[in-house]
């Protein structure tokens, strides 16, 4: 049996939720290892829609253990609301199926407020964050002043941790012209939420080691996408964590040898939410058509996603960054009915052809896509569950993408329904 890591191969919103849910039927444990409540997943199961932000997708499957790893920044109030919302939808959540890393960092109200203040003051330099406090919480983690899950268990030591935290934040808030934080009030707020979180707290690294030794299948669920990675993405228009496969080990406390199959998720076209470079973006009727047919609105923010043609250069780079063993191609059906399709096969930068996205912000803004035009198909691919159900030209499109990204397509998704999936290779099988 194989442990699987699922990683977004573009800018997030690739359809990871459905694929992780589809895979979770074969897994025993589903683990989130980075990001926070900015990572929206929409699952459609037996006609019921579940919208998740912090909880791993496996939480809606009976008999599965959902784990939030140490690499995730947790807003305890948002998490409590999400748990209660799912319970109202009939999902049973208890310590039997949910564990939270004791050393995970907490997102506090001051983090959310600071996030919003910075975006307001940035003007044209806005990064386009979700305003959920993700970045400020990671800053405090790296600055070694964060409040962590385990701190909720120790009210006698928490006040001095809060004092250390506010020694940084209150001068910053004063400089921004907003009221300072009352440490006693923050303490009371944390004591008010602790009972909703502590029942799920665990030493996740030890838990996963025990699960692995017991022969359980582990599924690591990535959030966002490769090009929102703090190191490898379109910096500074990125998230505040590492979204590539290597962080599945760091963000959950397992060794890298545990990560046995890396599955990248990519749409049959490209989308992006918020600001930042987007070489294949379409500003015309075709882009609007793709967005409308694909229902391209953010799960967390509701913001319309920018849409463009498939960028093979970008996805090939993601394949290398994470050592992807296969790609799940999603939303193929959105491309039904086009006379022709375009695929980006290279970039032009200052008159020179290049085969990768450069690291510099200015260079990323100047790259121009080099497109190859291929025939489209008129037949519907919606709901296809086998290669025989696909139009010949759709199969050719998939095979050509495989060649360009230098990675096999192991799954094809043809609708939001989990059953509408073409399986080429099961990632859990050796």
């Amino acid at each position: 049996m194989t442990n699987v890591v699922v990683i977004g191969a573009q800018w997030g919103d690739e359809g990871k939720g459905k694929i992780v849910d589809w895979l979770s039927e074969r897994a025993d444990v589903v683990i989130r290892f980075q990001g926070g409540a900015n990572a929206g997943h929409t699952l459609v199961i037996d006609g019921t829609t579940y919208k998740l932000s912090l909880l791993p997708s496996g939480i809606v499957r009976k008999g599965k253990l959902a784990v939030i790893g140490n690499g995730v920044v947790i807003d305890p109030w948002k998490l409590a609301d999400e748990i209660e919302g799912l319970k109202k939808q009939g999902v049973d959540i208890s310590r039997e199926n949910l564990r939270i890393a004791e050393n995970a960092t907490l997102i506090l109200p001051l983090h959310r407020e600071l996030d919003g203040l910075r975006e307001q003051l940035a003007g044209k330099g806005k990064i386009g964050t979700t305003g959920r406090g993700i970045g400020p919480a990671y800053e405090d983690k790296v600055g070694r002043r964060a409040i962590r899950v385990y701190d909720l268990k120790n009210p006698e030591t928490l006040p001095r941790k809060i004092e250390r935290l506010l020694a940084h934040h209150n001068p910053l808030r004063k400089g921004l012209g907003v009221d300072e934080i009352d440490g006693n009030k923050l303490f009371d707020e944390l004591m008010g939420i602790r009972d909703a979180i502590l029942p799920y707290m665990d030493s996740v690294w030890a838990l996963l080691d025990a699960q692995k030794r017991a022969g359980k299948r582990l599924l690591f669920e990535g959030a966002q996408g490769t090009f929102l990675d703090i190191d490898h993405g379109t910096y500074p228009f990125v998230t505040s964590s590492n979204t590539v496969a290597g962080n599945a080990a760091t963000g959950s406390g397992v060794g890298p040898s545990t990560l046995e199959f890396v599955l990248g998720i990519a749409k049959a076209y490209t989308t992006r939410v918020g600001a930042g470079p987007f070489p294949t973006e379409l500003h015309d009727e075709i882009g609007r058509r793709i967005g409308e047919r694909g229902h391209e609105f953010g799960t967390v923010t509701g913001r319309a996603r920018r849409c463009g043609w498939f960028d093979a250069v970008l996805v090939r780079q993601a394949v290398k960054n994470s050592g992807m063993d296969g790609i799940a191609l999603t939303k193929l059906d959105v491309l039904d009915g086009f006379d022709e399709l375009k695929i980006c096969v290279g970039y032009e930068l200052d008159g020179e052809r290049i085969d990768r996205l450069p690291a510099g912000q200015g260079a990323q803004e100047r790259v121009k896509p080099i497109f190859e035009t291929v025939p489209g198909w008129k037949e519907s691919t919606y709901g296809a569950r086998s290669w025989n159900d696909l139009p010949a030209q759709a199969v050719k499109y998939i095979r050509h993408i495989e060649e360009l990204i230098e990675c096999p397509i192991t799954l094809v998704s043809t609708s939001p329904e989990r059953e509408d999936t073409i399986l080429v290779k099961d990632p859990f099988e050796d």
Side-chain angles (χ1 to χ4, degrees):
M1 295 185 290
T2 303
N3 299 320
V4 177
V5 186
V6 173
I7 298 294
Q10 294 158 321
W11 277 291
D13 308 306
E14 300 97 347
K16 293 183 294 296
K18 171 192 167 172
I19 300 300
V20 170
D21 175 60
W22 190 86
L23 291 169
S24 68
E25 190 174 47
R26 296 157 173 78
D28 300 298
V29 186
V30 184
I31 307 110
R32 276 283 311 273
F33 58 87
Q34 49 79 217
N38 57 344
H41 289 333
T42 300
L43 308 180
V44 181
I45 302 172
D46 298 328
T48 301
T49 299
Y50 302 96
K51 292 185 180 294
L52 308 178
S53 294
L54 266 168
L55 291 167
S57 297
I59 196 69
V60 299
R61 290 282 166 197
K62 290 184 179 180
K64 311 298 178 182
L65 177 60
V67 175
I68 299 177
N70 57 275
V72 178
V73 284
I74 300 171
D75 185 323
W77 294 275
K78 296 283 187 185
L79 179 57
D81 287 345
E82 192 170 325
I83 289 172
E84 287 306 308
L86 286 180
K87 285 182 176 180
K88 290 178 180 178
Q89 287 187 279
V91 179
D92 293 325
I93 301 178
S94 69
R95 187 173 172 81
E96 293 298 311
N97 66 339
L98 176 63
R99 304 292 176 87
I100 301 171
E102 60 189 4
N103 52 339
T105 292
L106 295 180
I107 296 176
L108 308 176
L110 60 87
H111 293 131
R112 295 196 299 271
E113 189 175 359
L114 179 59
D115 210 352
L117 285 168
R118 283 175 169 170
E119 282 291 272
Q120 290 174 23
L121 294 170
K124 293 182 179 180
K126 286 183 180 181
I127 293 174
T129 76
T130 60
R132 299 306 196 269
I134 308 296
Y138 274 119
E139 288 177 36
D140 282 343
K141 175 181 178 177
V142 175
R144 294 167 290 185
R145 55 182 173 263
I147 307 298
R148 307 204 293 182
V149 171
Y150 197 90
D151 294 325
L152 299 178
K153 189 178 180 180
N154 292 280
E156 68 279 0
T157 61
L158 184 55
R160 70 170 180 261
K161 290 179 176 290
I162 291 175
E163 183 179 357
R164 175 178 170 80
L165 176 73
L166 296 186
H168 170 80
H169 279 275
N170 277 338
L172 180 59
R173 292 174 66 86
K174 186 176 180 180
L176 292 171
V178 295
D179 293 338
E180 295 185 0
I181 298 294
D182 183 330
N184 293 326
K185 180 181 178 183
L186 178 56
F187 176 85
D188 291 341
E189 289 174 333
L190 288 169
M191 289 300 98
I193 197 64
R194 69 196 294 260
D195 290 342
I197 304 302
L198 288 181
Y200 306 106
M201 186 181 78
D202 206 345
S203 178
V204 159
W205 69 267
L207 170 69
L208 295 181
D209 180 65
Q211 294 286 315
K212 185 174 67 170
R213 286 188 287 107
K216 304 295 185 181
R217 287 178 168 180
L218 309 183
L219 176 60
F220 296 86
E221 177 181 5
Q224 290 93 35
T226 297
F227 292 94
L228 293 177
D229 185 281
I230 188 68
D231 288 306
H232 302 288
T234 47
Y235 190 90
F237 302 98
V238 292
T239 194
S240 300
S241 62
N242 287 110
T243 60
V244 294
N247 198 33
T250 307
S252 60
V254 303
S257 62
T258 303
L259 316 178
E260 297 169 319
F261 190 101
V262 180
L263 178 67
I265 315 296
K267 282 177 182 168
Y269 49 99
T270 312
T271 64
R272 176 166 198 166
V273 170
F278 187 171
T280 67
E281 184 174 9
L282 293 165
H283 300 279
D284 57 12
E285 182 57 37
I286 292 176
R288 287 189 292 274
R289 179 180 173 187
I290 290 174
E292 290 170 1
R293 294 191 62 183
H295 305 289
E296 296 296 351
F297 297 92
T299 300
V300 171
T301 63
R303 290 183 291 181
R305 298 176 185 136
R306 301 153 63 189
C307 298
W309 294 118
F310 186 85
D311 191 335
V313 180
L314 205 72
V315 176
R316 183 174 64 241
Q317 192 163 323
V319 166
K320 310 302 181 184
N321 288 153
S322 283
M324 293 175 183
D325 298 291
I327 287 284
L329 193 69
T330 65
K331 292 199 168 185
L332 181 68
D333 55 294
V334 174
L335 299 182
D336 292 351
F338 284 95
D339 292 325
E340 60 182 31
L341 305 170
K342 292 186 178 181
I343 302 173
C344 177
V345 296
Y347 299 138
E348 181 185 315
L349 176 61
D350 301 333
E352 178 185 355
R353 180 166 178 154
I354 58 174
D355 62 357
R356 68 198 61 159
L357 189 68
Q361 181 180 348
Q364 290 175 356
E365 292 169 348
R366 295 196 309 276
V367 295
K368 298 177 182 178
I370 299 171
F371 285 119
E372 177 181 304
T373 301
V374 298
W377 55 89
K378 294 298 184 182
E379 305 93 327
S380 173
T381 64
Y382 188 88
R385 299 183 183 181
S386 74
W387 286 114
N388 291 335
D389 295 334
L390 293 178
Q393 196 55 51
V395 175
K396 289 181 182 178
Y397 181 74
I398 295 168
R399 294 304 188 198
H400 190 42
I401 284 176
E402 279 186 318
E403 296 173 359
L404 292 171
I405 65 175
E406 299 175 8
C407 185
I409 304 292
T410 55
L411 292 164
V412 180
S413 172
T414 57
S415 93
E417 295 291 338
R418 67 189 302 273
E419 293 82 6
D420 294 338
T421 305
I422 300 171
L423 175 64
V424 181
K425 173 180 168 53
D426 189 336
F428 280 118
E429 298 298 329
D430 292 331

PDB file of all heavy atoms in Angstrom, residues 208-226:
ATOM      1  N   LEU A 208       0.643   9.690  13.651  1.00  0.00           N
ATOM      2  CA  LEU A 208       0.857   9.267  12.271  1.00  0.00           C
ATOM      3  C   LEU A 208       1.899   8.154  12.181  1.00  0.00           C
ATOM      4  O   LEU A 208       1.789   7.256  11.339  1.00  0.00           O
ATOM      5  CB  LEU A 208       1.270  10.467  11.414  1.00  0.00           C
ATOM      6  CG  LEU A 208       0.200  11.556  11.258  1.00  0.00           C
ATOM      7  CD1 LEU A 208       0.719  12.688  10.378  1.00  0.00           C
ATOM      8  CD2 LEU A 208      -1.096  10.987  10.681  1.00  0.00           C
ATOM      9  N   ASP A 209       2.894   8.211  13.051  1.00  0.00           N
ATOM     10  CA  ASP A 209       3.879   7.128  13.073  1.00  0.00           C
ATOM     11  C   ASP A 209       3.209   5.806  13.437  1.00  0.00           C
ATOM     12  O   ASP A 209       3.477   4.770  12.818  1.00  0.00           O
ATOM     13  CB  ASP A 209       4.988   7.461  14.074  1.00  0.00           C
ATOM     14  CG  ASP A 209       6.047   6.371  14.138  1.00  0.00           C
ATOM     15  OD1 ASP A 209       6.747   6.161  13.116  1.00  0.00           O
ATOM     16  OD2 ASP A 209       6.163   5.710  15.196  1.00  0.00           O
ATOM     17  N   ALA A 210       2.320   5.847  14.423  1.00  0.00           N
ATOM     18  CA  ALA A 210       1.608   4.631  14.830  1.00  0.00           C
ATOM     19  C   ALA A 210       0.693   4.138  13.715  1.00  0.00           C
ATOM     20  O   ALA A 210       0.601   2.928  13.455  1.00  0.00           O
ATOM     21  CB  ALA A 210       0.803   4.898  16.099  1.00  0.00           C
ATOM     22  N   GLN A 211       0.017   5.058  13.042  1.00  0.00           N
ATOM     23  CA  GLN A 211      -0.862   4.680  11.936  1.00  0.00           C
ATOM     24  C   GLN A 211      -0.079   4.044  10.798  1.00  0.00           C
ATOM     25  O   GLN A 211      -0.507   3.060  10.196  1.00  0.00           O
ATOM     26  CB  GLN A 211      -1.625   5.914  11.431  1.00  0.00           C
ATOM     27  CG  GLN A 211      -2.607   6.512  12.420  1.00  0.00           C
ATOM     28  CD  GLN A 211      -3.862   5.673  12.582  1.00  0.00           C
ATOM     29  OE1 GLN A 211      -4.441   5.207  11.620  1.00  0.00           O
ATOM     30  NE2 GLN A 211      -4.281   5.474  13.820  1.00  0.00           N
ATOM     31  N   LYS A 212       1.080   4.630  10.524  1.00  0.00           N
ATOM     32  CA  LYS A 212       1.928   4.097   9.449  1.00  0.00           C
ATOM     33  C   LYS A 212       2.410   2.684   9.785  1.00  0.00           C
ATOM     34  O   LYS A 212       2.379   1.780   8.942  1.00  0.00           O
ATOM     35  CB  LYS A 212       3.110   5.040   9.220  1.00  0.00           C
ATOM     36  CG  LYS A 212       4.002   4.646   8.051  1.00  0.00           C
ATOM     37  CD  LYS A 212       5.079   5.697   7.782  1.00  0.00           C
ATOM     38  CE  LYS A 212       6.073   5.782   8.904  1.00  0.00           C
ATOM     39  NZ  LYS A 212       7.256   6.620   8.544  1.00  0.00           N
ATOM     40  N   ARG A 213       2.864   2.502  11.035  1.00  0.00           N
ATOM     41  CA  ARG A 213       3.362   1.181  11.433  1.00  0.00           C
ATOM     42  C   ARG A 213       2.248   0.139  11.467  1.00  0.00           C
ATOM     43  O   ARG A 213       2.510  -1.063  11.323  1.00  0.00           O
ATOM     44  CB  ARG A 213       4.045   1.277  12.803  1.00  0.00           C
ATOM     45  CG  ARG A 213       5.415   1.950  12.735  1.00  0.00           C
ATOM     46  CD  ARG A 213       6.184   1.883  14.045  1.00  0.00           C
ATOM     47  NE  ARG A 213       5.628   2.778  15.047  1.00  0.00           N
ATOM     48  CZ  ARG A 213       4.930   2.385  16.103  1.00  0.00           C
ATOM     49  NH1 ARG A 213       4.683   1.094  16.290  1.00  0.00           N
ATOM     50  NH2 ARG A 213       4.469   3.252  16.985  1.00  0.00           N
ATOM     51  N   ALA A 214       1.017   0.608  11.634  1.00  0.00           N
ATOM     52  CA  ALA A 214      -0.131  -0.315  11.632  1.00  0.00           C
ATOM     53  C   ALA A 214      -0.597  -0.640  10.215  1.00  0.00           C
ATOM     54  O   ALA A 214      -1.567  -1.380  10.030  1.00  0.00           O
ATOM     55  CB  ALA A 214      -1.279   0.297  12.434  1.00  0.00           C
ATOM     56  N   GLY A 215       0.090  -0.090   9.203  1.00  0.00           N
ATOM     57  CA  GLY A 215      -0.246  -0.396   7.819  1.00  0.00           C
ATOM     58  C   GLY A 215      -1.384   0.427   7.259  1.00  0.00           C
ATOM     59  O   GLY A 215      -1.972   0.070   6.225  1.00  0.00           O
ATOM     60  N   LYS A 216      -1.712   1.546   7.906  1.00  0.00           N
ATOM     61  CA  LYS A 216      -2.800   2.399   7.424  1.00  0.00           C
ATOM     62  C   LYS A 216      -2.341   3.231   6.231  1.00  0.00           C
ATOM     63  O   LYS A 216      -1.177   3.607   6.127  1.00  0.00           O
ATOM     64  CB  LYS A 216      -3.288   3.325   8.541  1.00  0.00           C
ATOM     65  CG  LYS A 216      -3.742   2.607   9.801  1.00  0.00           C
ATOM     66  CD  LYS A 216      -4.965   1.746   9.558  1.00  0.00           C
ATOM     67  CE  LYS A 216      -5.473   1.136  10.854  1.00  0.00           C
ATOM     68  NZ  LYS A 216      -6.656   0.276  10.633  1.00  0.00           N
ATOM     69  N   ARG A 217      -3.283   3.542   5.372  1.00  0.00           N
ATOM     70  CA  ARG A 217      -2.995   4.390   4.212  1.00  0.00           C
ATOM     71  C   ARG A 217      -3.165   5.853   4.593  1.00  0.00           C
ATOM     72  O   ARG A 217      -4.236   6.259   5.067  1.00  0.00           O
ATOM     73  CB  ARG A 217      -3.931   4.056   3.055  1.00  0.00           C
ATOM     74  CG  ARG A 217      -3.635   2.733   2.366  1.00  0.00           C
ATOM     75  CD  ARG A 217      -4.661   2.484   1.276  1.00  0.00           C
ATOM     76  NE  ARG A 217      -4.266   1.395   0.402  1.00  0.00           N
ATOM     77  CZ  ARG A 217      -4.987   0.970  -0.628  1.00  0.00           C
ATOM     78  NH1 ARG A 217      -6.140   1.556  -0.893  1.00  0.00           N
ATOM     79  NH2 ARG A 217      -4.574  -0.016  -1.380  1.00  0.00           N
ATOM     80  N   LEU A 218      -2.143   6.657   4.342  1.00  0.00           N
ATOM     81  CA  LEU A 218      -2.163   8.074   4.678  1.00  0.00           C
ATOM     82  C   LEU A 218      -2.344   8.911   3.419  1.00  0.00           C
ATOM     83  O   LEU A 218      -1.668   8.689   2.413  1.00  0.00           O
ATOM     84  CB  LEU A 218      -0.859   8.486   5.376  1.00  0.00           C
ATOM     85  CG  LEU A 218      -0.409   7.640   6.573  1.00  0.00           C
ATOM     86  CD1 LEU A 218       0.855   8.237   7.195  1.00  0.00           C
ATOM     87  CD2 LEU A 218      -1.502   7.493   7.614  1.00  0.00           C
ATOM     88  N   LEU A 219      -3.251   9.861   3.490  1.00  0.00           N
ATOM     89  CA  LEU A 219      -3.510  10.774   2.377  1.00  0.00           C
ATOM     90  C   LEU A 219      -3.253  12.195   2.868  1.00  0.00           C
ATOM     91  O   LEU A 219      -3.939  12.681   3.763  1.00  0.00           O
ATOM     92  CB  LEU A 219      -4.951  10.623   1.892  1.00  0.00           C
ATOM     93  CG  LEU A 219      -5.423  11.575   0.791  1.00  0.00           C
ATOM     94  CD1 LEU A 219      -4.592  11.422  -0.468  1.00  0.00           C
ATOM     95  CD2 LEU A 219      -6.910  11.336   0.484  1.00  0.00           C
ATOM     96  N   PHE A 220      -2.252  12.865   2.299  1.00  0.00           N
ATOM     97  CA  PHE A 220      -1.866  14.215   2.693  1.00  0.00           C
ATOM     98  C   PHE A 220      -2.518  15.210   1.738  1.00  0.00           C
ATOM     99  O   PHE A 220      -2.279  15.175   0.526  1.00  0.00           O
ATOM    100  CB  PHE A 220      -0.350  14.364   2.664  1.00  0.00           C
ATOM    101  CG  PHE A 220       0.358  13.476   3.654  1.00  0.00           C
ATOM    102  CD1 PHE A 220       0.690  12.161   3.319  1.00  0.00           C
ATOM    103  CD2 PHE A 220       0.691  13.945   4.915  1.00  0.00           C
ATOM    104  CE1 PHE A 220       1.343  11.335   4.224  1.00  0.00           C
ATOM    105  CE2 PHE A 220       1.341  13.128   5.825  1.00  0.00           C
ATOM    106  CZ  PHE A 220       1.663  11.819   5.485  1.00  0.00           C
ATOM    107  N   GLU A 221      -3.339  16.085   2.299  1.00  0.00           N
ATOM    108  CA  GLU A 221      -4.164  16.984   1.503  1.00  0.00           C
ATOM    109  C   GLU A 221      -3.560  18.387   1.466  1.00  0.00           C
ATOM    110  O   GLU A 221      -3.597  19.120   2.451  1.00  0.00           O
ATOM    111  CB  GLU A 221      -5.573  17.030   2.099  1.00  0.00           C
ATOM    112  CG  GLU A 221      -6.506  17.989   1.418  1.00  0.00           C
ATOM    113  CD  GLU A 221      -7.890  18.024   2.064  1.00  0.00           C
ATOM    114  OE1 GLU A 221      -8.096  17.364   3.100  1.00  0.00           O
ATOM    115  OE2 GLU A 221      -8.768  18.710   1.515  1.00  0.00           O
ATOM    116  N   GLY A 222      -3.008  18.757   0.324  1.00  0.00           N
ATOM    117  CA  GLY A 222      -2.446  20.094   0.176  1.00  0.00           C
ATOM    118  C   GLY A 222      -3.517  21.141  -0.042  1.00  0.00           C
ATOM    119  O   GLY A 222      -4.612  20.848  -0.515  1.00  0.00           O
ATOM    120  N   ALA A 223      -3.175  22.382   0.314  1.00  0.00           N
ATOM    121  CA  ALA A 223      -4.076  23.516   0.098  1.00  0.00           C
ATOM    122  C   ALA A 223      -3.402  24.513  -0.836  1.00  0.00           C
ATOM    123  O   ALA A 223      -2.182  24.508  -0.990  1.00  0.00           O
ATOM    124  CB  ALA A 223      -4.420  24.183   1.426  1.00  0.00           C
ATOM    125  N   GLN A 224      -4.211  25.373  -1.460  1.00  0.00           N
ATOM    126  CA  GLN A 224      -3.720  26.322  -2.464  1.00  0.00           C
ATOM    127  C   GLN A 224      -3.020  25.568  -3.609  1.00  0.00           C
ATOM    128  O   GLN A 224      -3.449  24.484  -3.959  1.00  0.00           O
ATOM    129  CB  GLN A 224      -2.792  27.375  -1.833  1.00  0.00           C
ATOM    130  CG  GLN A 224      -3.487  28.373  -0.925  1.00  0.00           C
ATOM    131  CD  GLN A 224      -3.491  27.951   0.529  1.00  0.00           C
ATOM    132  OE1 GLN A 224      -2.569  27.351   1.030  1.00  0.00           O
ATOM    133  NE2 GLN A 224      -4.554  28.269   1.216  1.00  0.00           N
ATOM    134  N   GLY A 225      -1.972  26.136  -4.191  1.00  0.00           N
ATOM    135  CA  GLY A 225      -1.330  25.496  -5.331  1.00  0.00           C
ATOM    136  C   GLY A 225       0.146  25.848  -5.369  1.00  0.00           C
ATOM    137  O   GLY A 225       0.617  26.750  -4.654  1.00  0.00           O
ATOM    138  N   THR A 226       0.882  25.163  -6.225  1.00  0.00           N
ATOM    139  CA  THR A 226       2.333  25.320  -6.303  1.00  0.00           C
ATOM    140  C   THR A 226       2.762  26.765  -6.483  1.00  0.00           C
ATOM    141  O   THR A 226       3.723  27.221  -5.853  1.00  0.00           O
ATOM    142  CB  THR A 226       2.881  24.477  -7.466  1.00  0.00           C
ATOM    143  OG1 THR A 226       2.624  23.092  -7.202  1.00  0.00           O
ATOM    144  CG2 THR A 226       4.380  24.688  -7.650  1.00  0.00           C
TER     145      THR A 226
END
